Structures are given as structure tokens and as C-alpha cells.
Coordinates of all heavy atoms in Angstrom, one line a residue:
M1 N 0.8 -1.2 0.0 CA 0.0 0.0 0.0 C 0.9 1.2 0.0 O 1.8 1.3 0.8 CB -0.9 0.0 1.2 CG -2.0 1.0 1.2 SD -3.2 0.6 2.5 CE -4.3 -0.4 1.5
T2 N 0.6 2.2 -0.9 CA 1.4 3.4 -0.9 C 1.1 4.4 0.2 O 0.0 4.3 0.8 CB 1.3 4.1 -2.3 OG1 -0.1 4.5 -2.5 CG2 1.7 3.1 -3.4
Q3 N 2.0 5.3 0.4 CA 1.8 6.3 1.5 C 0.5 7.1 1.3 O -0.2 7.4 2.2 CB 3.0 7.2 1.5 CG 4.4 6.6 1.5 CD 4.7 5.7 2.7 OE1 4.3 5.9 3.5 NE2 5.5 4.7 2.7
L4 N 0.3 7.5 0.0 CA -0.8 8.4 -0.2 C -2.2 7.8 -0.1 O -3.2 8.4 0.0 CB -0.7 9.1 -1.6 CG 0.6 9.9 -1.7 CD1 0.8 10.4 -3.1 CD2 0.6 11.1 -0.7
S5 N -2.3 6.4 -0.3 CA -3.6 5.8 -0.4 C -4.1 5.3 1.0 O -5.1 4.7 1.1 CB -3.5 4.6 -1.3 OG -2.6 3.6 -0.8
I6 N -3.3 5.6 2.1 CA -3.8 5.2 3.4 C -4.8 6.2 3.9 O -4.6 7.4 4.0 CB -2.6 5.1 4.4 CG1 -1.7 4.0 4.0 CG2 -3.2 4.9 5.8 CD1 -0.5 3.9 4.9
K7 N -6.1 5.7 4.2 CA -7.1 6.6 4.7 C -7.2 6.4 6.2 O -7.2 5.3 6.7 CB -8.5 6.2 4.1 CG -8.5 6.5 2.6 CD -9.9 6.1 2.0 CE -9.9 6.3 0.5 NZ -11.1 5.8 -0.1
F8 N -7.2 7.6 6.9 CA -7.2 7.5 8.3 C -8.0 8.7 8.9 O -8.1 9.7 8.2 CB -5.8 7.5 8.9 CG -5.0 8.8 8.7 CD1 -5.0 9.7 9.7 CD2 -4.3 9.0 7.6 CE1 -4.3 10.9 9.5 CE2 -3.6 10.1 7.4 CZ -3.6 11.1 8.3
S9 N -8.5 8.6 10.1 CA -9.1 9.7 10.7 C -8.8 9.7 12.2 O -8.6 8.6 12.8 CB -10.6 9.6 10.5 OG -11.1 8.5 11.1
P10 N -8.6 10.8 12.8 CA -8.2 10.9 14.2 C -9.4 10.4 15.1 O -10.6 10.7 14.7 CB -7.9 12.3 14.5 CG -8.5 13.1 13.4 CD -8.6 12.2 12.2
L11 N -9.2 9.7 16.1 CA -10.2 9.3 17.1 C -10.1 10.2 18.3 O -9.1 10.2 19.0 CB -10.0 7.8 17.5 CG -11.0 7.3 18.5 CD1 -12.4 7.2 17.8 CD2 -10.6 5.9 18.9
V12 N -11.2 11.0 18.5 CA -11.2 11.9 19.7 C -12.2 11.4 20.7 O -13.4 11.5 20.4 CB -11.5 13.3 19.2 CG1 -11.5 14.3 20.4 CG2 -10.6 13.8 18.1
T13 N -11.7 10.9 21.8 CA -12.6 10.4 22.9 C -11.9 11.0 24.1 O -10.8 11.6 24.1 CB -12.6 8.9 23.0 OG1 -11.3 8.4 23.2 CG2 -13.2 8.3 21.7
E14 N -12.6 10.8 25.3 CA -12.0 11.3 26.5 C -10.7 10.6 26.8 O -9.7 11.2 27.3 CB -13.0 11.0 27.6 CG -12.7 11.7 29.0 CD -13.8 11.5 30.0 OE1 -14.9 11.1 29.7 OE2 -13.5 11.8 31.2
K15 N -10.7 9.3 26.6 CA -9.5 8.5 26.9 C -8.3 8.9 25.9 O -7.2 9.1 26.4 CB -9.8 7.0 26.7 CG -8.7 6.1 27.1 CD -9.1 4.7 27.1 CE -8.0 3.7 27.5 NZ -8.5 2.3 27.5
S16 N -8.6 9.1 24.7 CA -7.5 9.5 23.7 C -7.1 10.9 23.9 O -5.9 11.2 23.7 CB -8.0 9.3 22.3 OG -9.0 10.2 21.9
S17 N -7.9 11.8 24.4 CA -7.6 13.2 24.7 C -6.6 13.2 25.9 O -5.7 14.0 25.9 CB -8.8 14.0 25.0 OG -9.6 14.1 23.9
L18 N -6.8 12.4 26.9 CA -5.9 12.3 28.0 C -4.6 11.7 27.6 O -3.5 12.1 28.1 CB -6.5 11.5 29.2 CG -7.7 12.1 29.9 CD1 -8.3 11.1 30.9 CD2 -7.3 13.3 30.6
A19 N -4.6 10.8 26.7 CA -3.3 10.2 26.2 C -2.5 11.1 25.4 O -1.3 11.0 25.3 CB -3.6 8.9 25.4
M20 N -3.1 12.2 24.8 CA -2.3 13.1 24.0 C -1.3 13.9 24.8 O -0.3 14.4 24.3 CB -3.3 14.1 23.3 CG -3.8 13.5 22.0 SD -4.5 14.7 20.9 CE -6.2 14.9 21.6
S21 N -1.6 14.0 26.1 CA -0.7 14.7 27.0 C 0.6 13.9 27.2 O 1.7 14.5 27.5 CB -1.3 15.0 28.4 OG -1.6 13.8 29.0
S22 N 0.6 12.6 26.9 CA 1.8 11.8 27.0 C 2.3 11.4 25.6 O 2.9 10.4 25.4 CB 1.6 10.6 27.8 OG 0.5 9.8 27.3
N23 N 1.9 12.3 24.6 CA 2.4 12.1 23.2 C 1.9 10.9 22.5 O 2.6 10.3 21.7 CB 3.9 12.2 23.1 CG 4.4 13.6 23.3 OD1 3.6 14.6 23.2 ND2 5.6 13.8 23.7
K24 N 0.7 10.4 22.8 CA 0.0 9.3 22.2 C -1.2 9.8 21.4 O -2.0 10.4 21.9 CB -0.4 8.2 23.2 CG 0.8 7.6 23.9 CD 0.3 6.5 24.8 CE 1.5 5.8 25.5 NZ 1.2 4.6 26.2
Y25 N -1.2 9.4 20.1 CA -2.3 9.9 19.2 C -3.0 8.7 18.7 O -2.3 7.7 18.2 CB -1.7 10.7 18.1 CG -1.0 12.0 18.6 CD1 0.4 12.0 18.9 CD2 -1.7 13.1 18.9 CE1 1.0 13.1 19.4 CE2 -1.1 14.2 19.4 CZ 0.2 14.2 19.7 OH 0.8 15.3 20.2
T26 N -4.3 8.7 18.6 CA -5.1 7.6 18.2 C -5.8 7.8 16.9 O -6.4 8.9 16.7 CB -6.2 7.3 19.3 OG1 -5.6 7.2 20.6 CG2 -6.9 6.0 19.1
F27 N -5.8 6.9 16.0 CA -6.3 7.0 14.7 C -7.2 5.7 14.3 O -6.8 4.6 14.8 CB -5.2 7.1 13.6 CG -4.4 8.3 13.8 CD1 -3.2 8.3 14.5 CD2 -4.8 9.5 13.3 CE1 -2.4 9.4 14.7 CE2 -4.0 10.7 13.4 CZ -2.8 10.6 14.1
I28 N -8.2 5.9 13.5 CA -9.0 4.8 12.9 C -8.5 4.7 11.5 O -8.4 5.7 10.8 CB -10.5 5.1 13.0 CG1 -11.0 5.2 14.4 CG2 -11.2 4.0 12.2 CD1 -11.0 3.9 15.1
V29 N -8.0 3.5 11.1 CA -7.5 3.3 9.8 C -8.2 2.1 9.1 O -9.0 1.4 9.7 CB -6.0 3.0 9.8 CG1 -5.2 4.1 10.4 CG2 -5.7 1.7 10.6
E30 N -7.9 1.9 7.8 CA -8.5 0.7 7.1 C -8.0 -0.6 7.7 O -6.9 -0.6 8.3 CB -8.0 0.8 5.6 CG -8.5 2.0 4.9 CD -7.9 2.1 3.5 OE1 -7.0 1.3 3.2 OE2 -8.4 3.0 2.8
K31 N -8.7 -1.6 7.6 CA -8.3 -2.9 8.1 C -7.1 -3.5 7.5 O -6.3 -4.2 8.1 CB -9.5 -3.9 7.9 CG -10.7 -3.7 8.7 CD -10.7 -4.2 10.1 CE -10.6 -5.7 10.1 NZ -10.4 -6.2 11.5
S32 N -6.8 -3.1 6.3 CA -5.6 -3.7 5.5 C -4.3 -3.0 5.9 O -3.2 -3.6 5.5 CB -5.8 -3.6 4.0 OG -6.0 -2.2 3.7
V33 N -4.3 -1.9 6.6 CA -3.1 -1.2 6.9 C -2.4 -1.8 8.1 O -3.1 -2.2 9.1 CB -3.4 0.3 7.2 CG1 -2.2 1.0 7.7 CG2 -4.0 0.9 6.0
N34 N -1.1 -2.0 8.1 CA -0.4 -2.5 9.2 C 0.3 -1.3 9.9 O 0.4 -0.2 9.4 CB 0.6 -3.6 8.9 CG 1.7 -3.2 8.0 OD1 2.1 -2.1 8.0 ND2 2.2 -4.2 7.3
K35 N 0.8 -1.5 11.2 CA 1.3 -0.4 12.0 C 2.6 0.1 11.5 O 2.9 1.2 11.7 CB 1.3 -0.8 13.4 CG 2.2 -1.9 13.8 CD 2.1 -2.2 15.3 CE 3.0 -3.3 15.7 NZ 2.9 -3.6 17.2
I36 N 3.4 -0.7 10.8 CA 4.7 -0.3 10.3 C 4.5 0.7 9.1 O 5.1 1.8 9.1 CB 5.5 -1.5 9.8 CG1 5.8 -2.4 11.0 CG2 6.8 -1.0 9.2 CD1 6.4 -3.7 10.7
E37 N 3.6 0.4 8.2 CA 3.2 1.3 7.1 C 2.7 2.6 7.6 O 3.1 3.7 7.2 CB 2.2 0.7 6.2 CG 2.6 -0.5 5.4 CD 1.5 -1.1 4.6 OE1 0.3 -0.8 4.9 OE2 1.8 -1.8 3.6
F38 N 1.8 2.5 8.6 CA 1.2 3.7 9.1 C 2.2 4.6 9.9 O 2.2 5.8 9.7 CB 0.0 3.4 10.0 CG -0.8 4.5 10.4 CD1 -1.6 5.2 9.5 CD2 -0.8 5.0 11.7 CE1 -2.4 6.2 9.9 CE2 -1.6 6.1 12.1 CZ -2.4 6.7 11.1
S39 N 3.1 4.0 10.6 CA 4.1 4.7 11.3 C 5.0 5.5 10.3 O 5.4 6.6 10.6 CB 5.0 3.8 12.2 OG 4.2 3.2 13.2
K40 N 5.4 4.8 9.3 CA 6.3 5.5 8.3 C 5.6 6.6 7.6 O 6.2 7.6 7.3 CB 6.7 4.4 7.2 CG 7.8 3.5 7.8 CD 8.2 2.5 6.7 CE 9.2 1.5 7.3 NZ 9.5 0.4 6.3
M41 N 4.3 6.4 7.3 CA 3.5 7.5 6.7 C 3.4 8.7 7.6 O 3.5 9.8 7.2 CB 2.1 7.0 6.3 CG 1.3 7.9 5.4 SD 0.2 9.1 6.2 CE -0.8 8.2 7.3
I42 N 3.2 8.5 8.9 CA 3.1 9.6 9.9 C 4.4 10.3 10.0 O 4.5 11.5 10.0 CB 2.6 9.1 11.2 CG1 1.2 8.6 11.2 CG2 2.8 10.1 12.3 CD1 0.2 9.7 11.0
E43 N 5.5 9.6 10.0 CA 6.8 10.2 10.1 C 7.1 11.0 8.9 O 7.7 12.1 9.0 CB 7.9 9.1 10.2 CG 8.0 8.5 11.6 CD 9.1 7.5 11.8 OE1 9.6 6.9 10.7 OE2 9.4 7.2 12.9
K44 N 6.8 10.5 7.7 CA 7.0 11.3 6.5 C 6.2 12.5 6.3 O 6.7 13.6 6.0 CB 6.8 10.3 5.3 CG 7.1 11.0 3.9 CD 6.9 10.0 2.8 CE 7.1 10.7 1.5 NZ 6.7 9.9 0.4
N45 N 4.9 12.4 6.5 CA 4.0 13.5 6.3 C 4.0 14.6 7.4 O 3.7 15.7 7.1 CB 2.5 13.0 6.1 CG 2.4 12.2 4.8 OD1 3.2 12.3 3.9 ND2 1.4 11.4 4.7
F46 N 4.2 14.2 8.6 CA 4.1 15.1 9.7 C 5.5 15.5 10.4 O 5.5 16.2 11.3 CB 3.2 14.6 10.8 CG 1.8 14.5 10.3 CD1 1.3 13.2 9.9 CD2 1.0 15.6 10.2 CE1 0.0 13.1 9.5 CE2 -0.3 15.5 9.7 CZ -0.8 14.2 9.3
N47 N 6.6 15.0 9.8 CA 7.9 15.3 10.3 C 8.1 15.1 11.8 O 8.6 15.9 12.5 CB 8.3 16.7 9.9 CG 8.3 16.9 8.4 OD1 8.7 16.0 7.7 ND2 7.9 18.0 8.0
V48 N 7.7 13.9 12.3 CA 7.8 13.5 13.7 C 8.5 12.2 13.8 O 8.6 11.4 12.8 CB 6.5 13.5 14.5 CG1 5.9 14.9 14.6 CG2 5.6 12.5 13.8
K49 N 9.1 11.9 14.9 CA 9.7 10.6 15.1 C 8.8 9.7 15.9 O 8.4 10.0 17.0 CB 11.0 10.8 15.9 CG 11.7 9.5 16.4 CD 12.9 9.2 15.6 CE 13.7 8.0 16.2 NZ 13.0 6.8 16.1
V50 N 8.4 8.6 15.3 CA 7.5 7.7 16.0 C 8.3 6.7 16.8 O 9.2 6.0 16.3 CB 6.6 6.9 15.0 CG1 5.8 5.9 15.7 CG2 5.7 7.9 14.2
V51 N 8.0 6.6 18.1 CA 8.7 5.7 19.0 C 8.1 4.3 19.0 O 8.8 3.3 18.9 CB 8.7 6.3 20.5 CG1 9.4 5.4 21.4 CG2 9.4 7.7 20.5
S52 N 6.8 4.3 19.1 CA 6.1 3.0 19.1 C 4.7 3.1 18.5 O 4.2 4.2 18.4 CB 6.1 2.3 20.5 OG 5.2 3.1 21.3
S53 N 4.1 2.0 18.1 CA 2.8 2.0 17.6 C 2.1 0.7 18.1 O 2.7 -0.4 18.1 CB 2.7 2.1 16.1 OG 3.4 1.1 15.5
N54 N 0.8 0.8 18.4 CA 0.0 -0.3 18.8 C -1.2 -0.4 17.9 O -1.9 0.6 17.7 CB -0.4 -0.2 20.3 CG 0.7 -0.1 21.3 OD1 1.8 -0.5 20.9 ND2 0.5 0.4 22.4
A55 N -1.5 -1.6 17.5 CA -2.7 -1.8 16.6 C -3.7 -2.7 17.3 O -3.3 -3.7 17.9 CB -2.2 -2.5 15.3
I56 N -4.9 -2.2 17.2 CA -6.0 -3.0 17.9 C -7.1 -3.2 16.8 O -7.6 -2.2 16.2 CB -6.6 -2.2 19.0 CG1 -5.5 -1.9 20.1 CG2 -7.8 -2.9 19.7 CD1 -5.4 -0.5 20.5
N57 N -7.5 -4.4 16.6 CA -8.7 -4.7 15.7 C -9.9 -4.7 16.5 O -10.1 -5.4 17.5 CB -8.5 -6.1 15.1 CG -7.4 -6.2 14.1 OD1 -7.3 -5.3 13.3 ND2 -6.6 -7.2 14.2
L58 N -10.9 -3.8 16.1 CA -12.2 -3.7 16.7 C -13.2 -4.5 16.0 O -13.4 -4.3 14.8 CB -12.6 -2.2 16.7 CG -11.6 -1.2 17.4 CD1 -12.0 0.2 17.1 CD2 -11.5 -1.5 18.9
K59 N -13.8 -5.4 16.7 CA -14.8 -6.3 16.0 C -16.1 -5.5 15.8 O -16.4 -4.5 16.4 CB -15.1 -7.5 16.9 CG -13.9 -8.4 17.1 CD -14.3 -9.6 18.0 CE -13.1 -10.5 18.1 NZ -13.4 -11.7 19.0
S60 N -16.9 -6.0 14.9 CA -18.2 -5.4 14.6 C -19.2 -5.8 15.8 O -19.0 -6.9 16.4 CB -18.8 -5.9 13.3 OG -18.9 -7.3 13.3
K61 N -20.2 -5.0 16.0 CA -21.2 -5.3 17.0 C -22.5 -5.4 16.4 O -22.8 -4.8 15.4 CB -21.2 -4.1 18.0 CG -19.9 -3.9 18.8 CD -20.1 -2.7 19.7 CE -18.8 -2.4 20.4 NZ -18.9 -1.2 21.3
K62 N -23.4 -6.3 17.0 CA -24.8 -6.4 16.5 C -25.6 -5.2 17.0 O -25.5 -4.8 18.2 CB -25.4 -7.7 17.1 CG -24.9 -8.9 16.4 CD -25.6 -10.1 16.9 CE -25.1 -11.4 16.2 NZ -25.8 -12.6 16.7
R63 N -26.4 -4.7 16.1 CA -27.3 -3.6 16.4 C -28.7 -3.9 15.8 O -28.8 -4.5 14.8 CB -26.8 -2.3 15.8 CG -25.5 -1.8 16.3 CD -25.7 -1.3 17.7 NE -24.5 -0.8 18.3 CZ -24.0 -1.2 19.4 NH1 -24.6 -2.1 20.1 NH2 -22.9 -0.6 19.9
R64 N -29.7 -3.5 16.6 CA -31.1 -3.8 16.1 C -31.8 -2.5 15.8 O -31.6 -1.5 16.5 CB -31.9 -4.5 17.2 CG -31.5 -5.9 17.4 CD -32.4 -6.6 18.3 NE -33.8 -6.4 17.9 CZ -34.8 -7.1 18.4 NH1 -34.6 -7.9 19.4 NH2 -36.0 -6.9 18.0
R65 N -32.6 -2.5 14.8 CA -33.6 -1.4 14.5 C -34.9 -2.1 14.3 O -35.2 -2.5 13.2 CB -33.2 -0.7 13.3 CG -32.0 0.2 13.5 CD -31.8 1.2 12.4 NE -30.8 2.1 12.7 CZ -30.6 3.2 12.1 NH1 -31.4 3.6 11.1 NH2 -29.6 4.0 12.5
G66 N -35.7 -2.2 15.4 CA -36.9 -2.9 15.3 C -36.7 -4.4 15.2 O -35.9 -5.0 15.9
R67 N -37.2 -5.0 14.1 CA -37.0 -6.4 13.8 C -35.8 -6.7 13.1 O -35.3 -7.8 13.0 CB -38.2 -6.9 13.0 CG -39.5 -6.9 13.7 CD -40.6 -7.5 12.8 NE -40.6 -6.8 11.5 CZ -41.4 -7.1 10.5 NH1 -42.2 -8.1 10.6 NH2 -41.4 -6.5 9.4
I68 N -35.2 -5.7 12.5 CA -34.0 -5.9 11.6 C -32.7 -5.9 12.5 O -32.5 -5.0 13.2 CB -33.9 -4.8 10.6 CG1 -35.2 -4.8 9.7 CG2 -32.7 -4.9 9.7 CD1 -35.4 -3.6 8.8
I69 N -32.0 -6.9 12.3 CA -30.7 -7.1 13.0 C -29.5 -6.8 12.0 O -29.5 -7.5 11.0 CB -30.5 -8.5 13.7 CG1 -31.7 -8.7 14.7 CG2 -29.2 -8.6 14.3 CD1 -31.7 -10.1 15.3
G70 N -28.6 -5.9 12.4 CA -27.5 -5.7 11.5 C -26.2 -5.6 12.3 O -26.2 -6.0 13.5
K71 N -25.1 -5.3 11.7 CA -23.8 -5.2 12.3 C -23.2 -3.8 12.0 O -23.4 -3.3 10.9 CB -22.9 -6.3 11.8 CG -23.2 -7.6 12.4 CD -22.1 -8.6 11.9 CE -22.3 -9.9 12.6 NZ -21.2 -10.8 12.3
T72 N -22.4 -3.4 12.9 CA -21.6 -2.2 12.7 C -20.3 -2.7 11.9 O -20.0 -3.8 11.8 CB -21.1 -1.5 13.9 OG1 -20.4 -2.4 14.7 CG2 -22.3 -1.0 14.7
V73 N -19.6 -1.7 11.4 CA -18.4 -2.0 10.6 C -17.2 -2.4 11.5 O -17.0 -1.7 12.5 CB -18.0 -0.8 9.7 CG1 -16.8 -1.1 8.9 CG2 -19.2 -0.5 8.8
A74 N -16.5 -3.4 11.2 CA -15.3 -3.8 11.9 C -14.2 -2.8 11.5 O -14.1 -2.4 10.3 CB -14.8 -5.2 11.6
R75 N -13.4 -2.3 12.5 CA -12.4 -1.3 12.2 C -11.1 -1.6 12.9 O -11.0 -2.6 13.6 CB -12.9 0.1 12.8 CG -14.2 0.5 12.3 CD -14.6 1.9 12.8 NE -14.8 1.8 14.3 CZ -15.1 2.9 15.0 NH1 -15.2 4.1 14.4 NH2 -15.2 2.9 16.3
K76 N -10.1 -0.8 12.6 CA -8.7 -1.0 13.2 C -8.4 0.3 13.8 O -8.5 1.4 13.2 CB -7.7 -1.4 12.1 CG -6.3 -1.7 12.8 CD -5.3 -2.1 11.7 CE -5.2 -3.6 11.7 NZ -4.1 -4.1 10.9
K77 N -7.8 0.3 15.0 CA -7.4 1.5 15.7 C -5.9 1.3 15.9 O -5.4 0.3 16.3 CB -8.1 1.5 17.1 CG -7.8 2.7 17.9 CD -8.7 2.9 19.1 CE -8.6 1.8 20.1 NZ -9.4 2.1 21.3
I78 N -5.2 2.4 15.6 CA -3.7 2.4 15.8 C -3.4 3.6 16.7 O -3.8 4.7 16.5 CB -3.0 2.6 14.5 CG1 -3.2 1.3 13.6 CG2 -1.5 2.8 14.7 CD1 -2.4 1.3 12.3
I79 N -2.6 3.3 17.8 CA -2.1 4.3 18.7 C -0.6 4.5 18.5 O 0.2 3.6 18.6 CB -2.4 3.9 20.2 CG1 -3.9 3.6 20.4 CG2 -1.9 4.9 21.1 CD1 -4.2 2.9 21.7
I80 N -0.3 5.8 18.1 CA 1.1 6.2 17.8 C 1.7 6.9 19.0 O 1.0 7.9 19.5 CB 1.1 7.1 16.5 CG1 0.6 6.3 15.3 CG2 2.5 7.6 16.3 CD1 1.4 5.3 14.8
T81 N 2.9 6.5 19.4 CA 3.6 7.3 20.4 C 4.7 8.0 19.7 O 5.5 7.5 19.1 CB 4.2 6.3 21.5 OG1 3.1 5.5 22.0 CG2 4.8 7.1 22.6
V82 N 4.7 9.4 19.9 CA 5.7 10.2 19.3 C 6.8 10.6 20.3 O 6.5 10.8 21.5 CB 4.9 11.5 18.8 CG1 5.9 12.5 18.1 CG2 3.8 11.1 17.8
D83 N 8.0 10.8 19.7 CA 9.1 11.2 20.6 C 8.9 12.6 21.2 O 8.2 13.5 20.6 CB 10.4 11.3 19.7 CG 11.6 11.6 20.5 OD1 11.7 11.1 21.6 OD2 12.6 12.2 19.9
Q84 N 9.3 12.8 22.4 CA 9.1 14.0 23.2 C 9.7 15.2 22.5 O 9.2 16.3 22.6 CB 9.7 13.8 24.6 CG 9.1 12.8 25.5 CD 8.3 13.5 26.6 OE1 8.5 14.6 26.9 NE2 7.3 12.8 27.1
N85 N 10.8 15.0 21.8 CA 11.6 16.1 21.2 C 11.0 16.5 19.9 O 11.4 17.5 19.3 CB 13.0 15.8 21.1 CG 13.7 15.5 22.4 OD1 13.3 16.1 23.4 ND2 14.6 14.6 22.5
S86 N 10.1 15.8 19.3 CA 9.5 16.1 18.0 C 8.5 17.2 18.1 O 7.8 17.4 19.1 CB 8.8 14.8 17.4 OG 9.7 13.8 17.2
K87 N 8.4 18.0 17.1 CA 7.5 19.1 17.0 C 6.1 18.6 16.5 O 6.1 18.1 15.4 CB 8.0 20.2 16.1 CG 9.2 20.9 16.7 CD 9.6 22.1 15.9 CE 10.9 22.7 16.5 NZ 11.3 23.9 15.8
T88 N 5.1 18.6 17.3 CA 3.9 17.9 17.0 C 2.7 18.9 16.7 O 1.6 18.5 16.6 CB 3.4 17.1 18.2 OG1 3.2 17.9 19.3 CG2 4.4 16.0 18.5
E89 N 3.0 20.2 16.3 CA 2.0 21.1 16.0 C 1.2 20.7 14.8 O 0.0 20.8 14.8 CB 2.6 22.5 15.8 CG 3.2 23.2 17.0 CD 4.6 22.8 17.3 OE1 5.3 22.3 16.3 OE2 5.1 23.0 18.4
K90 N 1.9 20.2 13.8 CA 1.2 19.8 12.6 C 0.3 18.6 12.8 O -0.8 18.5 12.3 CB 2.3 19.5 11.5 CG 1.8 19.4 10.1 CD 3.0 19.3 9.2 CE 2.5 19.1 7.7 NZ 3.6 18.9 6.8
L91 N 0.8 17.7 13.6 CA 0.0 16.5 14.0 C -1.2 16.8 14.9 O -2.3 16.3 14.7 CB 0.9 15.5 14.7 CG 0.3 14.1 15.0 CD1 -0.1 13.4 13.7 CD2 1.3 13.2 15.7
Q92 N -1.0 17.8 15.8 CA -2.1 18.2 16.7 C -3.2 19.0 16.0 O -4.3 19.0 16.5 CB -1.5 19.0 17.9 CG -0.8 18.2 18.9 CD -0.2 19.0 20.0 OE1 -0.2 20.2 19.9 NE2 0.2 18.3 21.1
S93 N -2.8 19.5 14.8 CA -3.9 20.3 14.1 C -5.0 19.4 13.6 O -6.1 19.8 13.2 CB -3.2 21.0 12.9 OG -2.7 20.1 12.0
L94 N -4.7 18.0 13.5 CA -5.7 17.1 13.1 C -6.8 17.0 14.1 O -8.0 16.7 13.8 CB -5.1 15.7 12.8 CG -4.2 15.6 11.6 CD1 -3.6 14.2 11.6 CD2 -5.0 15.9 10.3
F95 N -6.4 17.1 15.4 CA -7.3 16.9 16.5 C -8.0 18.2 16.8 O -8.9 18.4 17.4 CB -6.6 16.3 17.7 CG -6.1 14.9 17.4 CD1 -4.8 14.7 16.9 CD2 -6.8 13.8 17.7 CE1 -4.3 13.4 16.6 CE2 -6.4 12.5 17.4 CZ -5.1 12.3 16.9

């Protein structure tokens, strides 16, 4: 997968907002993206040094609307830890 074709969006929750104070940023990405590709893309596009990355597969959940039973979309969440000395203004502008 090329650098430009990775689709991602920042995940803003109470837990992820608290983690930003310790230089951890949370993103929702496509299921096919691995954490190494995503880390390299973040380093290249935002000029920061990625120290570590954690990937979590989120399973789909059953949801009901009356008699109809459906599922939510399964997603992947990646948590990126950025070096303390990196300038993260460009990265923080996403959130």
C-alpha cells in the first residue's frame, strides 16, 4: 500500500484526549493497513519521530432497529507514540 492511499481519521474520545498529554495519538485506519506502514506514513507526512505503535482490531457489534438485526463495521485502531523532542503542532492540528 502506498503512502498516499492510506485513509485515516483521528479518534477523539475522553481517553484518547488524556493520552495526548503523553504524546500518544489515536487513529482509525483501514483494516488492511499495518502499523509499520502507518508509522512510516506519519513520520514522512508530519515530520515527527514515532517511538512505538500499537494496533487494535475492533470487532463489529450487533445492532437492532426494530425487527431488523445488523452489524456495525469492523475497524482497526492504531495508537502512535511520538518522541518527546518532536514538534507535534502539525500532527495536533488534526485533532
Side-chain angles (χ1 to χ4, degrees):
M1 192 165 267
T2 62
Q3 312 295 331
L4 300 175
S5 66
I6 295 176
K7 294 180 183 175
F8 67 95
S9 62
L11 180 67
V12 181
T13 61
E14 189 174 348
K15 187 174 182 179
S16 67
S17 297
L18 290 173
M20 278 196 276
S21 63
S22 59
N23 290 337
K24 293 185 178 189
Y25 299 92
T26 308
F27 299 94
I28 297 291
V29 297
E30 298 173 350
K31 293 271 302 171
S32 60
V33 176
N34 64 28
K35 63 184 182 180
I36 297 168
E37 289 176 344
F38 190 71
S39 296
K40 287 180 182 177
M41 190 271 305
I42 291 291
E43 284 181 343
K44 182 180 176 189
N45 291 342
F46 295 102
N47 298 324
V48 294
K49 172 107 172 65
V50 175
V51 177
S52 69
S53 60
N54 299 339
I56 301 131
N57 288 316
L58 303 172
K59 294 181 180 179
S60 61
K61 298 178 181 179
K62 287 186 180 179
R63 295 288 181 235
R64 285 187 58 171
R65 288 196 172 194
R67 295 183 305 177
I68 300 168
I69 299 173
K71 284 187 173 183
T72 60
V73 178
R75 306 182 293 177
K76 182 180 265 189
K77 180 168 69 170
I78 295 183
I79 302 171
I80 297 291
T81 304
V82 179
D83 187 29
Q84 293 253 337
N85 300 327
S86 297
K87 295 185 179 183
T88 59
E89 292 86 19
K90 196 173 177 184
L91 187 61
Q92 286 178 348
S93 67
L94 292 175
F95 294 89

